[in-house]
């Protein structure tokens, strides 16, 4: 599987963006897919995930109620809709996927075998 992340940009405090993670491979819908982010000088952190076959969604506490992860199987794409953005959301956002990850590991970046290249989100105050 190859992943291509896009949709980042510059937005004002309180604004919205939608990130896309387009994948190659027909089996992508059966992969667990997640978004992580990494701000300058910080570790990569979990943002949101869809379990295999979109059976469940998982969110970091700091994005609950603001971000939504979803999948369009026909387009082989996973989205991250980000609303009410804050300056502290500024980071490079990465999508990741794995065909065999277990739910207890879904928030752990080192459990994912496939990664997109990252897309920069900048939220100005």
């Amino acid at each position: 599987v190859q992943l291509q992340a896009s949709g980042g940009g510059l937005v004002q405090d309180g604004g919205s963006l939608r990130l896309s993670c387009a994948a190659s491979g027909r089996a992508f819908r059966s992969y667990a897919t997640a978004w992580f982010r990494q701000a300058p000088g910080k570790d990569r952190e979990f943002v949101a995930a869809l379990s295999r076959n979109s059976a469940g969604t998982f969110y970091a506490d700091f994005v609950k109620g603001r971000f939504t992860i979803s999948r369009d199987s026909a387009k082989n794409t996973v989205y991250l809709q980000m609303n009410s953005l804050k300056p502290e959301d500024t980071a490079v956002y990465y999508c990741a996927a794995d065909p065999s990850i277990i739910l207890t590991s879904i928030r752990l970046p080192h459990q994912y075998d496939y990664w997109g290249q990252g897309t920069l989100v900048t939220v100005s105050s």
Side-chain angles (χ1 to χ4, degrees):
V1 169
Q2 292 185 322
L3 305 177
Q4 180 75 33
S6 62
L10 174 63
V11 64
Q12 289 187 332
D13 190 355
S16 297
L17 282 173
R18 188 177 77 160
L19 305 184
S20 299
C21 179
S24 62
R26 289 177 290 179
F28 181 62
R29 69 178 65 188
S30 67
Y31 282 49
T33 307
W35 289 94
F36 293 85
R37 69 185 188 186
Q38 188 165 18
K42 295 188 177 181
D43 292 335
R44 192 166 297 190
E45 63 179 354
F46 171 78
V47 176
L50 272 172
S51 60
R52 296 180 63 200
N53 298 310
S54 304
T57 56
F58 303 83
Y59 295 96
D61 287 343
F62 56 78
V63 302
K64 282 182 181 177
R66 299 190 298 127
F67 292 10
T68 303
I69 189 170
S70 62
R71 187 194 304 270
D72 185 333
S73 295
K75 295 183 178 180
N76 248 17
T77 301
V78 169
Y79 300 100
L80 184 68
Q81 177 66 45
M82 306 187 295
N83 299 327
S84 303
L85 283 162
K86 306 174 183 180
E88 52 264 42
D89 293 318
T90 295
V92 177
Y93 284 71
Y94 298 89
C95 61
D98 195 275
S100 58
I101 201 166
I102 60 175
L103 292 183
T104 53
S105 299
I106 206 164
R107 300 169 187 262
L108 303 178
H110 63 272
Q111 295 290 332
Y112 289 82
D113 284 343
Y114 302 97
W115 288 84
Q117 84 287 5
T119 185
L120 176 62
V121 172
T122 303
V123 184
S124 62
S125 56

